[in-house]
Amino acid sequence: MSITIQPAVRVETKRQPLPPRERLERIFNIDGVDALYGGKPAIKDVTMDVYKNLVTAIIGPSGCGKSTFIRCLNRMNDLIPGFTLTGTIRYHGQDITGNDVDPVAVRRHIGMVFQRPNPFPKSIYDNVAWGLKVLGMKDGLADRVERALTQAALWDEVKDRLKASALSLSGGQQQRLCIARAIAVEPDVVLMDEPASALDPIATAAIEQLMTDLKGEYTFVIVTHNMQQAARVADMTAFFSISRGDEGERYGELVEYDATQKMFTAPSDTRTEDYVTGRFG
Amino acid sequence: MSTHGITRADMHAVNLPRRRALNRLMEVLAWLAAAVAIGFLVLIVWSVARKGASELNLALITKTPATGFFTSGSGGLANAFAGTLVIVGIATLMALPTGILVALYLTEFAPPSVRNIVSLSLDVLNGVPAIVIGIFVYGLFVLGHGQSGYAASFALACIMLPLVARSTIEVLLLVPRALREASLALGVARWRTTLSIVLPQTIGGIITGTVLAVARVAGETAPLLFTSSLVGTQVHWNPHHALQTVPVAIFELSESADPQDHARAWAAALVLLLFILLTSLTARWLATRNRSKLSASR
């Protein structure tokens, strides 16, 4: 007996089909990752690959460990006391989880944009230029700033007031400035932790558009609680859900990971189906 | 099971008048306590001003004390003001960088266990009586070497250190974590993030804390009696020697037999009081300015 799945969101079907997975270059090999806060697991046994030049979305209900997971990819959780990680995360084949790996070097290649816009209390220009200066990318500084702001679809709005404080921008502009700041230093991967959750629909659309425009140059991993957003921008989608352990403890796990098209139209796991059809979450 | 909802009996409690009276009483008591606190301040300032007004003139801070037998009572306390300036200045130079570094270590780098221990130590150091610090520095530097402005500065720096560190910690904790993450996510090193992103946010708070600490130690007497009190009447600026200071001068003048010396002690006290008042007001102004700047960056 077959049931036709009616997804809660309209999935664009005109998108070009992905080439077979074997032909895609793997940027992350994530294998058996458990992330624990003070010994309590937040996510358990996550195994998945992230492919180069695609947008990979992480979806799932609140508390399923989406943010924890994405912050593992650039060692951002190192800042949290009591955080531990087991398993391996290989970035271009090299394990980045070990104590002998410099998290600063990891973050140099894997940038991040956060849930709430967090520009520096500096001018618009300096927000982008500061990172470049500190990291020694000083040649053609003004050009680099302009290119980053253009890529982030912000240049036209700010070119006449580059010296103004970044805090005078609207929320959506601030978030695009944060994206410009992140891509100015030429990372390989850009992680986005619910980048549009504090923004209005127009600003959200601008950010989704720039991800689509820029994915030829960067690899994006985006956490979102918004299924429409995943359906619109992502090539691959991973669905995380909350499970209960033997003693009733809650932790997040990866339920299913596949091409976005398939995840929203023909998922293989009933939990994914329940989530994308809006029966749960 | 939890009970919920309010019954009619609660709303129309039988002892409502008693509750109201009690409430009123507590309000009056709190008001009285505040009035007493302010009253004492007014009383102190008023009595100091009344008794010192006759000797409050420019000569007090520009002239040195007269030494001749017949001229006793004339002259000023220029040597004391110069000494206080030098000693407090050097103490600030010692305590400020140390206090900031302690605060940075505690908030940005220390593991929680170390943080608790150092934090507790700061509180204990803050509670050590000034005279104990005076004796400590006396044993450390003065015995065998003699008194000096440096020894006095070191003693005052010991008092300033926990004050500066505490106030710096407070403003460092106000800096949003998102700002640190923004810098770290660019692949910028921790120390660079701390110096270029976190610290500039806290300048106002650090200045406030320092100004308050300066105001506090400018009036300290006990440690100076041990470290910098055997002095002449000339103006000296060299901290290798013992220097006269305003609090010690007040103390000595108050023990004099000459009533005019008493008046001068009051006048010097008034100047000290005005200085502390002025610095406290400056600190408050800086604090409000810094707070509004920080909240704008949220």
Side-chain angles (χ1 to χ4, degrees), chain A residues 71 76 79-80 104 107-108 110-112 114 118-122 130-131 134-135 167 181-182, chain B residues 112 177-190 192-193 196-197 201 296-298:
Chain A
R71 290 167 65 97
M76 219 56 196
L79 304 172
I80 296 165
V104 174
R107 293 180 203 130
R108 177 68 195 76
I110 306 167
M112 188 161 208
F114 298 86
N118 55 356
F120 298 129
K122 298 175 186 284
W130 184 77
V134 170
L135 299 172
L167 304 173
R181 179 177 68 187
Chain B
R177 198 178 77 172
L179 220 48
R180 294 180 175 87
E181 288 185 340
S183 170
L184 293 171
L186 287 174
V188 173
R190 198 101 177 256
R192 190 68 206 250
T193 301
S196 304
I197 300 295
Q201 294 289 299
S297 68
R298 286 285 156 98

Side-chain angles (χ1 to χ4, degrees), chain A residues 199-244:
Chain A
L199 306 183
D200 64 68
I202 293 170
T204 303
I207 285 175
E208 289 175 5
Q209 186 60 47
L210 78 88
M211 270 192 279
T212 311
D213 293 345
L214 295 179
K215 71 181 178 187
E217 277 180 72
Y218 309 98
T219 301
F220 289 100
V221 182
I222 174 175
V223 164
T224 177
H225 59 244
N226 179 333
M227 280 185 288
Q228 284 92 332
Q229 188 167 57
R232 284 191 299 260
V233 301
D235 302 293
M236 298 289 292
T237 298
F239 171 61
F240 279 60
S241 184
I242 301 168
S243 296
R244 280 178 189 282

Side-chain angles (χ1 to χ4, degrees), chain A residues 48 117 193 257:
Chain A
M48 64 185 270
D193 188 359
Y257 176 49

Side-chain angles (χ1 to χ4, degrees), chain A:
Chain A
M1 51 176 224
S2 75
I3 302 160
T4 321
I5 294 173
Q6 294 289 326
V9 297
R10 200 175 64 83
V11 181
E12 198 186 329
T13 47
K14 286 177 293 186
R15 208 195 316 246
Q16 285 193 340
L18 289 174
R21 299 252 193 112
E22 319 73 75
R23 300 236 315 266
L24 291 167
E25 188 183 333
R26 269 149 231 231
I27 214 155
F28 285 110
N29 304 94
I30 297 142
D31 192 12
V33 163
D34 288 13
L36 306 94
Y37 294 111
K40 292 203 180 83
I43 50 173
K44 265 192 191 175
D45 198 23
V46 174
T47 299
M48 64 185 270
D49 292 340
V50 175
Y51 302 97
K52 191 174 167 64
N53 297 120
L54 295 186
V55 176
T56 302
I58 316 285
I59 61 168
S62 295
C64 69
K66 306 185 290 284
S67 287
T68 299
F69 171 70
I70 199 176
R71 290 167 65 97
C72 291
L73 300 181
N74 69 340
R75 298 280 298 260
M76 219 56 196
N77 288 324
D78 285 21
L79 304 172
I80 296 165
F83 177 83
T84 46
L85 184 141
T86 58
T88 56
I89 298 175
R90 275 194 293 277
Y91 168 69
H92 289 295
Q94 194 190 346
D95 190 3
I96 56 166
T97 60
N99 278 332
D100 53 334
V101 175
D102 180 9
V104 174
V106 170
R107 293 180 203 130
R108 177 68 195 76
H109 297 285
I110 306 167
M112 188 161 208
V113 175
F114 298 86
Q115 191 167 355
R116 311 196 116 253
N118 55 356
F120 298 129
K122 298 175 186 284
S123 73
I124 294 167
Y125 180 87
D126 284 339
N127 257 277
V128 183
W130 184 77
L132 290 165
K133 279 189 246 173
V134 170
L135 299 172
M137 305 164 81
K138 287 177 200 161
D139 53 307
L141 192 62
D143 292 340
R144 286 174 185 273
V145 171
E146 179 176 343
R147 191 158 27 142
L149 285 169
T150 309
Q151 285 186 323
L154 189 62
W155 176 250
D156 289 334
E157 290 163 61
V158 300
K159 64 183 174 197
D160 298 324
R161 48 172 180 146
L162 291 171
K163 290 276 168 279
S165 167
L167 304 173
S168 67
L169 297 173
S170 73
Q173 288 173 324
Q174 286 189 9
Q175 191 65 304
R176 274 179 284 154
L177 180 63
C178 292
I179 293 172
R181 179 177 68 187
I183 59 184
V185 299
E186 295 172 7
D188 187 27
V189 183
V190 180
L191 307 174
M192 296 202 172
D193 188 359
E194 301 199 25
S197 66
L199 306 183
D200 64 68
I202 293 170
T204 303
I207 285 175
E208 289 175 5
Q209 186 60 47
L210 78 88
M211 270 192 279
T212 311
D213 293 345
L214 295 179
K215 71 181 178 187
E217 277 180 72
Y218 309 98
T219 301
F220 289 100
V221 182
I222 174 175
V223 164
T224 177
H225 59 244
N226 179 333
M227 280 185 288
Q228 284 92 332
Q229 188 167 57
R232 284 191 299 260
V233 301
D235 302 293
M236 298 289 292
T237 298
F239 171 61
F240 279 60
S241 184
I242 301 168
S243 296
R244 280 178 189 282
D246 299 334
E247 279 135 48
E249 77 276 14
R250 291 151 64 93
Y251 59 87
E253 65 171 355
L254 175 62
V255 173
E256 191 172 355
Y257 176 49
D258 214 321
T260 303
Q261 180 88 36
K262 178 159 187 301
M263 288 289 282
F264 280 90
T265 51
S268 19
D269 195 294
T270 52
R271 287 173 291 176
T272 314
E273 188 188 320
D274 286 349
Y275 190 76
V276 300
T277 53
R279 270 196 290 255
F280 157 72

